[in-house]
Amino acid sequence: MTALAPTGSTRRMVLAGAAVLLLALGLVALMVVRPSAASPSGASPARSAPAEDSVDAGFARDMSIHHQQAVEMSFIVRDRTDDEDVRRLAYDIINTQANQRGMMLGWLELWGLPKSAAGPPMEWMGHTLTPTDDGSLMPGMATDAELAALTAAKGEKAEVLFLRLMTVHHRAGADMAQAAAGAAKTDAIRDLAAGMVLGQQSEIGLMADMLKERGAKP
């Protein structure tokens, strides 16, 4: 497979961040030049933008953070295994979730809303999260210790740990997306969230099969 970026955590995050920024700016430029189909009158997008405390804005912010960790874990395992199936899955997650993250950050920019919330994560879902110091900001996210273990692992050990962590990550992400698909007010967020549910549920099934092939449980 063609390498996506040189080995190294710093280089990985710089490239991922740059890709997201370019995607976001590109989307914003496109939407500014051409009025949204949801605004046939050509009215300014800001007039119909969701509120800062809306489901749409909350989901876009929180899922952007959730996706960023999935991209990070995928870069890590890509450099720690030669298994083509795992590397292909990691490649797909990197591309899909970096693109989706760019779209969500682009919409927040277009709506004139901050990209980080003033309050705790997942308030838009009615959740009250207790802050932790383990690095896991939301349900499904890996802790600092789990990321360190993945970084230290190699070969099949890295594959199994990645598949387990990403399964938990996807389950929580699918739950968030399901909530947004049912409660968001904008077509953009509803459609994106619905697609995420289908995509992540499909990958959960794929990862279950991959774990079974390795004699491991999810």
Side-chain angles (χ1 to χ4, degrees):
M1 292 179 59
T2 302
L4 298 176
T7 303
S9 177
T10 300
R11 181 61 174 165
R12 286 194 300 269
M13 298 311 295
V14 168
L15 289 176
V20 166
L21 179 59
L22 288 173
L23 286 164
L25 292 176
L27 179 66
V28 170
L30 177 63
M31 296 180 76
V32 168
V33 171
R34 186 179 63 190
S36 168
S39 303
S41 64
S44 171
R47 294 181 186 175
S48 57
E52 186 170 343
D53 61 352
S54 65
V55 168
D56 306 69
F59 173 76
R61 293 187 188 108
D62 288 350
M63 191 57 85
S64 292
I65 295 170
H66 216 264
H67 272 17
Q68 180 62 22
Q69 190 186 71
V71 171
E72 179 184 1
M73 289 195 293
S74 298
F75 269 122
I76 291 172
V77 78
R78 186 210 63 174
D79 294 337
R80 282 156 181 79
T81 179
D82 293 326
D83 185 270
E84 287 302 314
D85 290 336
V86 173
R87 286 172 61 87
R88 188 178 300 110
L89 173 62
Y91 179 86
D92 288 344
I93 292 172
I94 289 167
N95 279 276
T96 299
Q97 298 209 11
N99 272 292
Q100 290 174 344
R101 186 170 187 265
M103 291 170 67
M104 291 183 288
L105 293 176
W107 286 325
L108 288 169
E109 180 74 20
L110 180 68
W111 295 333
L113 298 177
K115 297 179 182 64
S116 58
M122 299 182 73
E123 280 190 323
W124 59 275
M125 286 183 70
H127 290 187
T128 301
L129 298 182
T130 302
T132 63
D133 58 2
D134 64 0
S136 178
L137 301 178
M138 283 173 272
M141 292 186 69
T143 64
D144 291 338
E146 288 169 334
L147 289 176
L150 179 60
T151 301
K154 292 183 179 180
E156 187 170 290
K157 184 177 180 180
E159 296 163 16
V160 170
L161 183 53
F162 168 76
L163 292 169
R164 284 174 170 164
L165 291 174
M166 194 59 75
T167 295
V168 174
H169 204 275
H170 271 21
R171 284 174 179 160
D175 287 344
M176 291 170 62
Q178 187 70 64
K185 301 302 183 185
T186 62
D187 290 339
I189 292 294
R190 284 197 303 269
D191 292 346
L192 180 64
M196 285 181 190
V197 174
L198 295 176
Q200 296 199 16
Q201 287 178 342
S202 176
E203 287 183 345
I204 288 171
L206 173 63
M207 291 188 288
D209 290 340
M210 295 171 75
L211 283 168
K212 186 176 180 180
E213 291 170 0
R214 291 161 177 75
K217 296 180 179 179

